[in-house]
Amino acid sequence: MIHPSASVSPKARLGANVSIGPFTIVHDDVQIGDHTSIDGFCEIGYPSPLAQGLPLVIGAHSTIRSHSILYAGSTFGDKFITGHRVTVREKTTAGVNFQLGTLSDIQGDCQIGDYVRCHSNVHIGKMSKVGNFVWIFPYVVLTNDPHPPSAVLMGCEIGDYAAVATMSVVLPGVKVGRGALVAAHSMVGRDVAPDTVAGGSPAKYICDTSKIKLKDGTERPAYPWTSHFQRGYPPEVVAGWSVPPAP
Amino acid sequence: MIHPSASVSPKARLGANVSIGPFTIVHDDVQIGDHTSIDGFCEIGYPSPLAQGLPLVIGAHSTIRSHSILYAGSTFGDKFITGHRVTVREKTTAGVNFQLGTLSDIQGDCQIGDYVRCHSNVHIGKMSKVGNFVWIFPYVVLTNDPHPPSAVLMGCEIGDYAAVATMSVVLPGVKVGRGALVAAHSMVGRDVAPDTVAGGSPAKYICDTSKIKLKDGTERPAYPWTSHFQRGYPPEVVAGWSVPPAP
Amino acid sequence: MIHPSASVSPKARLGANVSIGPFTIVHDDVQIGDHTSIDGFCEIGYPSPLAQGLPLVIGAHSTIRSHSILYAGSTFGDKFITGHRVTVREKTTAGVNFQLGTLSDIQGDCQIGDYVRCHSNVHIGKMSKVGNFVWIFPYVVLTNDPHPPSAVLMGCEIGDYAAVATMSVVLPGVKVGRGALVAAHSMVGRDVAPDTVAGGSPAKYICDTSKIKLKDGTERPAYPWTSHFQRGYPPEVVAGWSVPPAP
């Protein structure tokens, strides 16, 4: 299960049935859960003094795709799934079933909840807080410095079930409320109220999410998205959403 | 021509005079045309159930630069040229002489015409349709989901000879007309008429492309761009453009 | 210090105490200064006819992180530091202590001053001129073609001590003045005067930088940033700024 061209430190702690692909490097301070698969060309547990001696912990049943780099000091729950060439720096914690798309870059010191989905090329600045069941789409940047460059770091907060659409920036310290939607190509400088849509550069209130209808011919409400989109979530989670099943 | 550190499946079908660089992995379901060169650190024919058993087909006289990942199930015409670290997923088809810049990411199920140029860091969502002789510039995103997240996919269409300038987003289902220009940093939410310029966030009609003059001292019209820019196209294609040669 | 899996050309000229990581390829036309460290999976001195026979020169005490690609023909001063997966093409010159973040892409023929910091995912087009002590933040694009596609290249200029915040585009030929600040998510189509803030899409004058106060509880001025942010600069440089030290 470990490719002969891979380089795995004897200090790394690998669970049962872990596979490591060609040319991948696993450094010293690494703990990998059972049944996890890591592709080729990865660096796992990249050493850094900012990790302060903490290990990289990857949960069980995870999939790390090729050319990815995960620093020492971060912790990912079970069923972590990445695209290719992701980078995650030190001291980020993510809950279960975090999906992180190709080319995404998490700068460290972030808190990420359960069942979060980041699509390709998402950039999450240091000190960001991302809730549970959040969706972040390509080329979104979560920032932290209110007057760059400076040593002041004010992380954003993205509430549970919120979605931030492609190529939007969330300014330092801004909170996007539970179930809110940030429209594509927006610059979000003020807090977004729960269950509302904000958009534009600068972003303004557009409407409540309840006004948006599904473009699938049914005219059903598109939000909360949990009412019609359940793909990839386990049945016990979907059951907890207490929504009528899709027709 | 195959570097000794490369790993090439005996099931892959390689044409004459194919070269494979160091540490590159060529998987089973791969067909590579004659005289094609693949750099190091690539994964060619990355396996996926979404490929549905289809092979990756790369045309003759192609160049794949280092750290690129091409999934099984896609097909590229002759003279395909990539930058570094491109990613193309399953079941995309591209015509001849597609040029795909460094860090670009094509999500799969796309149709791409002949002689298309994507610069660095272009993100093309699933179900996009890109015509012939199209230009797409850095940090452009073509989207597909009208109310994210959902299972509704409405791909964009980019017409022949159109150009989409840097850091613009094209919203789901939007059509950019033949020969149109989308200005930089635009959010395109409505169709763009042929041979017009649209720009802004949200994008609006600015002028006809015929009003834009070349900033090379000649004051000639800048569009159609085929009248002055022919670099990299074969003579028989340029001859078909029926335009006066550049002075 | 050279990993046994690395491939280093005997023509490359390596200084004293240079280290080369696993699987890294060092091509022929390369000069590396003393005490420089290069991670794994890199391509150093990628050959190109556009380099016109010039070597890649990397100064002493530099750090090149993994998966980076540096073309032949460019020159970097001492204490060059990169993130992961950077790409720099031919004939760019950078001064001392250039810091280039993960996934950044410099297209070649650029002039970059001393002590410049580019964060992650910065895209610098050909012919750009970047002064000294400049800061460029994630997803910024410096452009060059006033009517794409064309053969007319008009590089931007970014003045000393200026900062360009995240996801902004600077249009071809535009000059951002000394000490100016471009706000996040801006499209900069006109010159920005020194020590002013410009923002929006299109960007307009917002205020003088002197009006912005530090959000650290002190209400001190946030600009010039050299008055409060000195991390990572050598003491003799900070002394030259002639500013009162941070309290």
Side-chain angles (χ1 to χ4, degrees):
Chain A
M1 307 293 282
I2 296 182
H3 194 277
S5 63
S7 168
V8 178
S9 164
K11 295 183 183 172
R13 294 165 52 189
L14 273 59
N17 196 28
V18 166
S19 79
I20 307 286
F23 313 117
T24 280
I25 301 167
V26 179
H27 293 277
D28 294 354
D29 292 329
V30 172
Q31 300 174 17
I32 303 177
D34 299 344
H35 311 294
T36 281
S37 172
I38 298 178
D39 276 358
F41 308 105
C42 292
E43 280 208 85
I44 303 300
Y46 189 89
S48 164
L50 297 179
Q52 299 182 300
L54 292 171
L56 169 68
V57 179
I58 301 174
H61 296 281
S62 296
T63 300
I64 312 298
R65 290 211 171 76
S66 65
H67 296 81
S68 290
I69 301 170
L70 304 176
Y71 274 58
S74 286
T75 296
F76 301 93
D78 291 350
K79 298 185 181 171
F80 177 40
I81 299 177
T82 81
H84 305 277
R85 327 176 204 286
V86 307
T87 311
V88 184
R89 294 200 50 177
E90 308 88 350
K91 298 175 77 174
T92 280
T93 60
V96 300
N97 198 16
F98 179 30
Q99 297 186 3
L100 182 63
T102 291
L103 289 165
S104 289
D105 182 6
I106 300 184
Q107 291 284 301
D109 290 305
C110 296
Q111 297 176 31
I112 294 169
D114 291 333
Y115 299 102
V116 169
R117 275 82 173 104
C118 292
H119 208 285
S120 298
N121 247 297
V122 166
H123 180 96
I124 301 186
K126 288 182 77 161
M127 310 300 289
S128 299
K129 293 184 183 179
V130 176
N132 302 307
F133 301 103
V134 167
W135 282 81
I136 304 182
F137 289 90
Y139 287 72
V140 164
V141 177
L142 305 186
T143 66
N144 52 33
D145 183 347
H147 30 46
S150 81
V152 179
L153 289 182
M154 302 165 62
C156 319
E157 290 188 36
I158 312 296
D160 296 350
Y161 299 96
V164 183
T166 193
M167 210 170 287
S168 291
V169 173
V170 182
L171 291 194
V174 168
K175 297 180 185 184
V176 174
R178 177 187 175 97
L181 172 64
V182 173
H185 211 270
S186 298
M187 191 280 284
V188 186
R190 298 188 205 167
D191 291 356
V192 179
D195 298 316
T196 66
V197 183
S201 184
K204 297 175 183 171
Y205 169 83
I206 295 177
C207 64
D208 289 0
T209 56
S210 58
K211 299 297 183 190
I212 300 178
K213 295 194 186 310
L214 264 183
K215 295 187 176 178
D216 65 352
T218 67
E219 297 286 312
R220 288 179 295 159
Y223 298 88
W225 56 263
T226 49
S227 67
H228 60 85
F229 189 77
Q230 294 130 14
R231 190 177 63 211
Y233 301 97
E236 65 274 19
V237 163
V238 172
W241 287 342
S242 303
V243 291
Chain B
M1 308 293 281
I2 296 182
H3 194 277
S5 64
S7 168
V8 179
S9 164
K11 295 183 182 171
R13 294 165 53 190
L14 273 59
N17 197 27
V18 166
S19 80
I20 307 286
F23 313 118
T24 281
I25 301 167
V26 179
H27 293 277
D28 294 352
D29 292 329
V30 171
Q31 301 174 18
I32 303 178
D34 298 345
H35 311 293
T36 281
S37 172
I38 298 178
D39 277 357
F41 308 105
C42 292
E43 281 207 85
I44 303 299
Y46 190 89
S48 163
L50 297 179
Q52 300 183 301
L54 292 170
L56 168 68
V57 179
I58 301 174
H61 296 279
S62 296
T63 300
I64 310 299
R65 290 209 173 78
S66 66
H67 296 80
S68 290
I69 301 170
L70 304 176
Y71 274 58
S74 285
T75 297
F76 301 92
D78 291 351
K79 298 185 182 172
F80 177 40
I81 299 177
T82 81
H84 304 276
R85 325 177 205 285
V86 308
T87 311
V88 184
R89 295 200 48 177
E90 308 87 348
K91 297 175 78 173
T92 280
T93 60
V96 299
N97 197 16
F98 179 31
Q99 298 186 2
L100 182 63
T102 290
L103 289 165
S104 290
D105 181 7
I106 301 184
Q107 292 283 302
D109 289 305
C110 297
Q111 297 175 31
I112 294 169
D114 291 334
Y115 298 102
V116 169
R117 276 81 171 104
C118 293
H119 208 285
S120 296
N121 248 298
V122 167
H123 180 96
I124 301 186
K126 288 182 76 161
M127 310 299 288
S128 299
K129 293 184 183 179
V130 176
N132 302 306
F133 301 103
V134 167
W135 282 81
I136 305 182
F137 289 90
Y139 288 71
V140 164
V141 176
L142 305 186
T143 66
N144 53 33
D145 184 346
H147 30 45
S150 81
V152 179
L153 289 182
M154 301 164 62
C156 319
E157 290 188 37
I158 312 295
D160 296 350
Y161 300 95
V164 183
T166 193
M167 210 170 288
S168 292
V169 173
V170 182
L171 291 193
V174 168
K175 297 181 185 183
V176 174
R178 178 186 174 97
L181 172 64
V182 172
H185 210 271
S186 299
M187 191 280 283
V188 187
R190 297 188 205 168
D191 291 357
V192 178
D195 298 314
T196 67
V197 183
S201 185
K204 297 175 183 171
Y205 168 83
I206 293 177
C207 65
D208 288 1
T209 56
S210 59
K211 299 296 184 191
I212 300 179
K213 295 195 188 307
L214 264 183
K215 296 188 176 178
D216 65 352
T218 66
E219 297 286 311
R220 287 178 296 158
Y223 297 89
W225 56 264
T226 50
S227 67
H228 60 85
F229 188 78
Q230 294 128 15
R231 190 176 63 209
Y233 301 97
E236 65 272 19
V237 163
V238 172
W241 287 342
S242 303
V243 293
Chain C
M1 307 291 282
I2 296 182
H3 193 277
S5 63
S7 168
V8 179
S9 165
K11 295 183 183 173
R13 294 166 51 190
L14 273 58
N17 196 27
V18 166
S19 79
I20 307 286
F23 313 118
T24 280
I25 301 168
V26 179
H27 293 277
D28 294 353
D29 292 330
V30 172
Q31 300 174 17
I32 303 178
D34 299 345
H35 311 295
T36 281
S37 171
I38 298 178
D39 277 358
F41 307 105
C42 292
E43 280 206 87
I44 304 300
Y46 190 88
S48 164
L50 297 179
Q52 299 183 301
L54 293 170
L56 168 69
V57 180
I58 301 175
H61 296 280
S62 296
T63 300
I64 312 298
R65 290 211 172 78
S66 66
H67 296 80
S68 290
I69 301 170
L70 305 176
Y71 274 59
S74 286
T75 296
F76 302 92
D78 291 351
K79 299 185 181 170
F80 176 40
I81 300 177
T82 81
H84 305 277
R85 324 176 206 286
V86 307
T87 312
V88 184
R89 295 200 49 177
E90 308 88 349
K91 298 176 76 175
T92 280
T93 60
V96 299
N97 198 15
F98 179 31
Q99 298 186 2
L100 182 64
T102 291
L103 289 166
S104 289
D105 181 6
I106 300 184
Q107 292 284 300
D109 290 304
C110 297
Q111 297 175 32
I112 294 170
D114 291 333
Y115 299 102
V116 169
R117 276 84 171 101
C118 293
H119 208 285
S120 297
N121 247 298
V122 166
H123 180 96
I124 300 186
K126 288 182 77 161
M127 311 299 289
S128 299
K129 293 184 184 179
V130 176
N132 302 307
F133 301 103
V134 168
W135 283 80
I136 305 182
F137 289 90
Y139 289 70
V140 164
V141 176
L142 305 186
T143 66
N144 53 33
D145 184 346
H147 29 46
S150 82
V152 179
L153 289 183
M154 302 165 62
C156 319
E157 290 188 36
I158 312 295
D160 296 350
Y161 300 96
V164 183
T166 194
M167 211 171 287
S168 291
V169 173
V170 183
L171 291 193
V174 168
K175 297 181 186 183
V176 174
R178 178 187 174 97
L181 172 64
V182 173
H185 210 269
S186 298
M187 191 280 283
V188 187
R190 298 187 204 167
D191 291 356
V192 179
D195 299 315
T196 66
V197 184
S201 184
K204 298 175 183 170
Y205 168 84
I206 294 178
C207 63
D208 289 359
T209 56
S210 59
K211 299 296 183 192
I212 301 179
K213 295 195 187 309
L214 264 182
K215 295 188 176 179
D216 65 352
T218 67
E219 297 286 311
R220 288 179 295 159
Y223 298 89
W225 55 264
T226 49
S227 68
H228 60 85
F229 188 78
Q230 294 129 16
R231 190 176 63 210
Y233 300 98
E236 66 273 19
V237 163
V238 172
W241 287 342
S242 303
V243 293

